[in-house]
Amino acid sequence: MFNKTPIHFHGQREIKLEKRKNLEQLMQKRLKIMMIVIIVIGLIFSLKLFSTQIRQKDYYDAKLTQYNTNTFQVDAQRGEIMDRNYKPLVQNKTVICATYYAVKGIKDEEIDAMTKFLMKNVNVDISEVTTRQKKDFLIMKDEKYVTSLIPKKELNAIKGLDSEKSDLTRLQLHYITDDILKKKLSDDDIKYYKIFYAIKSCTSGSSVVLSDISIKEASIIGEHSDLLRGIQVTSDWERKTTDKILKRTLGNLTTRKQGLPSTKKDELIALDYTNDARVGTSGIEGQYEDILKGVSSTYSISYDSNGTPTVKLSQEGTNGANIQLTIDWDLQKKISDFIDKELLAHRSEPFNDHIYCILEDPTTGDIIAMVGREIDQKTGKITDYSAGNYLSAYRIGSTMKSAVIYTAFKNKVIKANHYEDDTPQGLKIAGTKTKYSWKKGLGHLNEVSALAYSSNIWMMQVIIKLAGGKYQYNKPLKINKDAFTKLRNGAGELGLGVKTGIDVDSEALGYRGNAQNAGNLLDFSIGQYDTYTNMQLATYATTLANMGVKITPHLYKSSFTYDDDGNIVTLDTYQKKIVDDMSDQKTAFKQIRAGMKAVIDYGTVSGQFKGFPYQVAAKTGTAEDYTHSGNTDYPNHLLIGYSSVDNPQIVCTVMVERQKNNNSAPSVWKYAVSQYFEKYGYKK
């Protein structure tokens, strides 16, 4: 009745076998999955590698070349500067250079060998090596010795500081004296380190190692290119000025070594200038930088496995445009030579350091000549100071009187033929010295004869009326101080006491007196108070010549290039700028013109102009100056005017600094105007 089949119980052994079996199955399953994943990933990488090596080979080759290539820029030739007749004033001189293109990983031993080869075979000019550079060279030659010059106390003071390295250099430079340089640094040392440093410091791009080398020297460098790795013969340009006359006005250019001026560096880099680009910093070079500069050429440097560079032109640049100035160089030179003779002839005048002369076309504002000459009284050496025409200001004496008449008419203080008495008694305010004209008692004068005879008293009487004063001999004089403003405004409308706007980088305004008492106002009316530049005088005389139309003087006439046949192609021409127009004051300008003509016909300078072949309207001026001369007056002498009278073709202003026993102004004025008419013709 009972089942006799034996009962079997699973023990620990069976359980372990079961688990092992299940684990083996799971591992086999996962291994298969892993193998499949590996195969898939391998296929993906194989396809990617195929794509990279075959399909995208050109792309990655280009990328490799790009990452192994440097680019740099080379200045295009700068535009040249010509005079009004296209005579060169500033040109480019082509020079042959030895230029080093940075070699990757170059060793000092190789640089040393290259340097010694160049020293042996090429002339190394060290005339422009500065003292600072020489000190740097001595540090490179023997830094241990230079450091030993520094007191230990000072060396200990900088140890451990974050600025230790820069402080050490500062101290080294400080303790290298000129005597030490002479003893420790020979000319050969200077030549060596000039080349060595130029190569060593160039870690990318290029550096001009030697400039203005000969063709023979260039050939030697070319023949030994295997010894001079990275050095190639290149051509460059240098700025060359025709003459030192007008040099400051023409301006300056930085060198490659100087690079961009620090004050404009960020601005210029934003305009795609490179750090070593040559840029105009002053004068015409700076004022017209945007015209004169060209578009730089771009070069690429690629390297082989040894780090040797290969240079290729990537993008060719374009030269800058040329500038034509308004200046006539021949007249500029002739007037300069004439003034030099005047200065030398009057060496006995201890304060006659400068004479200035401007020729201006009143119809356009063209500055035909702008001469300024400076003499060293000790040596007699004469140098150019043309820029003094707009940088130096002087009292102008009686040339101020035309402005007084204009201001009086404008403010309705006088009408045509206004008479005042210039008596021997003079004009005296209580508590002051009596004031006279250059000659006591010039008589009963109107504005025309007052200009002709240069009456101080007439001008003072009129300016007192402008100030609302009532003059009584030897009595106090009360004035309205706004008369100073009225006279300055009137003079400014004509061109005095305001910047002319001439196209230079800086222009002086002149001195304006602060005191405003009656005596100062009287001095102001005869040009013995405020100071003005000769350029302001030229604008003033031009406005008078134009019967009240004031225009801006300028040196720029046009910009141009050349076509393939060498013909001039004008790019831009200056357009006349009218600043102000006071021609509605017709009576004032008519009477002033009559007075300035009378100056020549029968007035203060009639004797000097007797027989002069051209009609002239002019005004003389003599401004007292006792500076450094005690009680002795060494006055400025001036003559401003234009010719012809009814058809003004040329304005001339002459300012002679402090001559006591002479007056060079009339002779300089006549010479300058005569030279102009001889060249360009005279229209009556």
Side-chain angles (χ1 to χ4, degrees):
M1 58 187 263
F2 293 101
N3 187 355
K4 295 183 179 180
T5 303
I7 300 172
H8 181 76
F9 293 96
H10 287 279
Q12 290 287 45
R13 181 172 174 274
E14 287 80 4
I15 292 173
K16 286 182 180 180
L17 290 172
E18 185 72 21
K19 285 182 178 181
R20 182 179 295 174
K21 181 180 179 182
N22 292 337
L23 181 61
E24 288 176 352
Q25 290 176 348
L26 179 62
M27 290 294 292
Q28 289 177 357
K29 185 176 181 181
R30 288 180 177 179
L31 182 61
K32 289 178 181 178
I33 294 172
M34 185 180 298
M35 292 297 294
I36 292 170
V37 169
I38 290 172
I39 291 169
V40 170
I41 292 173
L43 288 172
I44 292 172
F45 275 106
S46 297
L47 291 171
K48 187 68 176 177
L49 183 61
F50 173 81
S51 176
T52 300
Q53 290 182 331
I54 307 300
R55 297 180 60 186
Q56 293 182 290
K57 179 179 183 299
D58 293 340
Y59 171 79
Y60 284 102
D61 283 346
K63 280 289 183 183
L64 181 61
T65 302
Q66 177 182 339
Y67 291 133
N68 198 37
T69 302
N70 292 327
T71 61
F72 65 96
Q73 292 183 321
V74 174
D75 291 347
Q77 281 216 3
R78 194 170 177 84
E80 299 184 329
I81 302 174
M82 313 287 185
D83 85 338
R84 68 185 298 107
N85 299 309
Y86 297 101
K87 184 172 184 175
L89 303 182
V90 182
Q91 296 177 281
N92 298 317
K93 174 189 173 185
T94 301
V95 294
I96 304 173
C97 302
T99 300
Y100 172 72
Y101 297 95
V103 176
K104 287 188 174 182
I106 191 169
K107 304 296 183 182
D108 285 355
E109 292 79 6
E110 185 176 357
I111 299 176
D112 175 73
M114 292 164 63
T115 299
K116 289 176 178 175
F117 179 89
L118 290 172
M119 282 183 64
K120 182 179 178 181
N121 293 282
V122 181
N123 177 52
V124 183
D125 181 15
I126 60 173
S127 61
E128 295 184 3
V129 174
T130 65
T131 300
R132 168 58 198 267
Q133 289 174 310
K134 291 177 183 178
K135 289 183 178 183
D136 289 333
F137 295 164
L138 182 56
I139 294 171
M140 293 177 69
K141 178 184 177 184
D142 194 347
E143 185 172 10
K144 185 176 180 180
Y145 165 75
V146 173
T147 303
S148 72
L149 299 172
I150 306 170
K152 289 184 178 180
K153 184 178 179 181
E154 294 187 44
L155 285 173
N156 292 333
I158 65 172
K159 274 188 178 179
L161 298 177
D162 292 339
S163 59
E164 180 178 354
K165 188 175 181 180
S166 60
D167 286 341
L168 177 61
T169 301
R170 173 178 54 80
L171 290 171
Q172 288 172 330
L173 294 171
H174 174 73
Y175 281 100
I176 299 175
T177 64
D178 290 341
D179 287 339
I180 289 173
L181 285 176
K182 289 178 182 178
K183 292 177 182 177
K184 294 291 184 177
L185 206 64
S186 66
D187 284 351
D188 282 344
D189 288 333
I190 297 171
K191 292 176 182 180
Y192 177 87
Y193 285 104
K194 177 183 177 180
I195 299 172
F196 188 93
Y197 181 76
I199 298 174
K200 175 79 172 176
S201 61
C202 181
T203 56
S204 64
S206 64
S207 174
V208 175
V209 177
L210 296 171
S211 181
D212 203 10
I213 62 177
S214 68
I215 295 175
K216 181 180 179 181
E217 291 169 336
S219 298
I220 293 172
I221 292 172
E223 291 168 2
H224 294 83
S225 58
D226 55 328
L227 300 176
L228 302 170
R229 201 159 58 113
I231 292 181
Q232 295 185 17
V233 175
T234 62
S235 64
D236 196 10
W237 54 268
E238 292 178 353
R239 216 60 166 155
K240 181 182 178 183
T241 304
T242 302
D243 202 314
K244 292 182 179 180
I245 297 174
L246 211 65
K247 181 172 176 56
R248 183 166 179 178
T249 300
L250 292 171
N252 293 314
L253 197 69
T254 61
T255 62
R256 280 189 179 279
K257 184 171 183 178
Q258 291 169 333
L260 302 179
S262 58
T263 55
K264 296 182 178 180
K265 188 171 184 178
D266 292 341
E267 175 188 345
L268 293 172
I269 287 177
L271 295 173
D272 291 331
Y273 281 79
T274 56
N275 279 312
D276 63 349
R278 289 163 282 193
V279 59
T281 56
S282 64
I284 297 298
E285 293 276 21
Q287 190 75 15
Y288 294 105
E289 168 68 18
D290 57 334
I291 294 175
L292 293 167
K293 75 177 182 69
V295 177
S296 299
S297 296
T298 302
Y299 290 82
S300 63
I301 305 179
S302 58
Y303 296 91
D304 63 16
S305 58
N306 295 321
T308 303
T310 300
V311 182
K312 291 183 179 179
L313 175 66
S314 301
Q315 185 174 346
E316 189 170 2
T318 54
N319 293 341
N322 305 302
I323 283 181
Q324 176 196 22
L325 297 183
T326 60
I327 295 289
D328 183 310
W329 185 254
D330 292 334
L331 291 181
Q332 180 84 13
K333 184 70 168 62
K334 286 181 179 180
I335 298 169
S336 295
D337 292 344
F338 187 87
I339 289 176
D340 288 357
K341 292 177 182 177
E342 285 290 311
L343 287 169
L344 290 171
H346 301 138
R347 286 284 302 280
S348 60
E349 298 281 2
F351 303 107
N352 181 208
D353 296 335
H354 300 92
I355 296 179
Y356 305 97
C357 177
I358 291 175
L359 288 177
E360 179 175 349
D361 183 340
T363 64
T364 62
D366 286 9
I367 300 298
I368 309 298
M370 185 176 68
V371 179
R373 305 298 284 168
E374 180 177 56
I375 187 169
D376 184 323
Q377 293 293 352
K378 292 181 179 179
T379 64
K381 182 181 179 181
I382 299 175
T383 53
D384 178 68
Y385 189 43
S386 300
N389 282 285
Y390 53 82
L391 291 178
S392 297
Y394 300 85
R395 290 176 179 173
I396 63 170
S398 295
T399 54
M400 180 74 182
K401 291 172 180 176
S402 296
V404 173
I405 294 174
Y406 166 75
T407 304
F409 270 104
K410 177 190 173 185
N411 288 277
K412 305 187 186 309
V413 173
I414 64 173
K415 294 181 180 180
N417 295 311
H418 176 86
Y419 282 87
E420 297 284 352
D421 290 322
D422 186 334
T423 67
Q425 187 181 38
L427 190 150
K428 180 172 173 55
I429 301 171
T432 67
K433 291 182 179 180
T434 304
K435 296 181 181 295
Y436 301 98
S437 295
W438 63 277
K439 180 180 179 181
K440 294 181 181 179
L442 288 173
H444 192 55
L445 308 172
N446 68 0
E447 61 274 17
V448 174
S449 54
L451 271 184
Y453 295 119
S454 199
S455 170
N456 290 346
I457 302 302
W458 190 96
M459 300 295 158
M460 291 177 183
Q461 291 284 13
V462 168
I463 210 70
I464 289 171
K465 290 178 172 60
L466 178 71
K470 292 184 179 180
Y471 170 73
Q472 290 180 291
Y473 186 82
N474 204 25
K475 299 289 184 182
L477 177 62
K478 293 183 179 180
I479 61 168
N480 293 325
K481 293 182 179 180
D482 65 352
F484 284 91
T485 301
K486 289 179 180 178
L487 184 51
R488 284 193 176 115
N489 287 345
E493 288 175 0
L494 301 179
L496 295 176
V498 294
K499 291 187 177 182
T500 66
I502 186 170
D503 45 344
V504 293
D505 50 336
S506 61
E507 180 182 4
L509 186 61
Y511 166 80
R512 289 189 174 193
N514 296 318
Q516 294 189 330
N517 57 47
N520 297 130
L521 183 62
L522 299 185
D523 289 341
F524 193 5
S525 71
I526 59 171
Q528 288 288 153
Y529 197 46
D530 288 2
T531 64
Y532 310 103
T533 66
N534 196 34
M535 187 58 66
Q536 291 176 17
L537 275 173
T539 300
Y540 171 50
T542 294
T543 307
L544 297 176
N546 290 336
M547 301 294 279
V549 178
K550 184 167 77 169
I551 60 178
T552 301
H554 60 99
L555 295 165
Y556 170 81
K557 190 171 180 65
S558 75
S559 61
F560 67 95
T561 57
Y562 297 101
D563 63 18
D564 293 339
D565 297 322
N567 300 311
I568 290 171
V569 178
T570 301
L571 303 175
D572 173 69
T573 303
Y574 180 88
Q575 301 299 313
K576 181 171 77 173
K577 297 177 183 177
I578 297 176
V579 182
D580 209 345
D581 189 343
M582 290 75 64
S583 58
D584 58 327
Q585 297 291 331
K586 292 181 181 178
T587 303
F589 290 110
K590 179 182 177 183
Q591 296 300 89
I592 291 169
R593 174 170 285 186
M596 292 177 69
K597 184 176 184 299
V599 169
I600 301 296
D601 292 344
Y602 59 84
T604 52
V605 76
S606 58
Q608 289 94 323
F609 275 80
K610 187 177 181 179
F612 194 63
Y614 311 110
Q615 287 187 353
V616 175
K619 183 68 192 81
T620 56
T622 304
E624 296 178 355
D625 195 334
Y626 295 88
T627 307
H628 307 303
S629 57
N631 295 322
T632 304
D633 174 28
Y634 286 84
N636 301 321
H637 293 286
L638 303 100
L639 183 62
I640 67 170
Y642 52 88
S643 184
S644 65
V645 176
D646 298 318
N647 180 30
Q649 295 167 253
I650 194 68
V651 162
C652 183
T653 61
V654 176
M655 180 182 286
V656 178
E657 183 184 42
R658 306 194 69 186
Q659 284 184 346
K660 176 176 173 54
N661 301 311
N662 307 285
N663 182 0
S664 297
S667 58
V668 173
W669 199 99
K670 288 191 295 181
Y671 179 82
V673 171
S674 295
Q675 291 299 313
Y676 176 83
F677 284 135
E678 284 180 19
K679 184 166 187 176
Y680 292 101
Y682 172 73
K683 296 178 183 178
K684 192 171 180 180

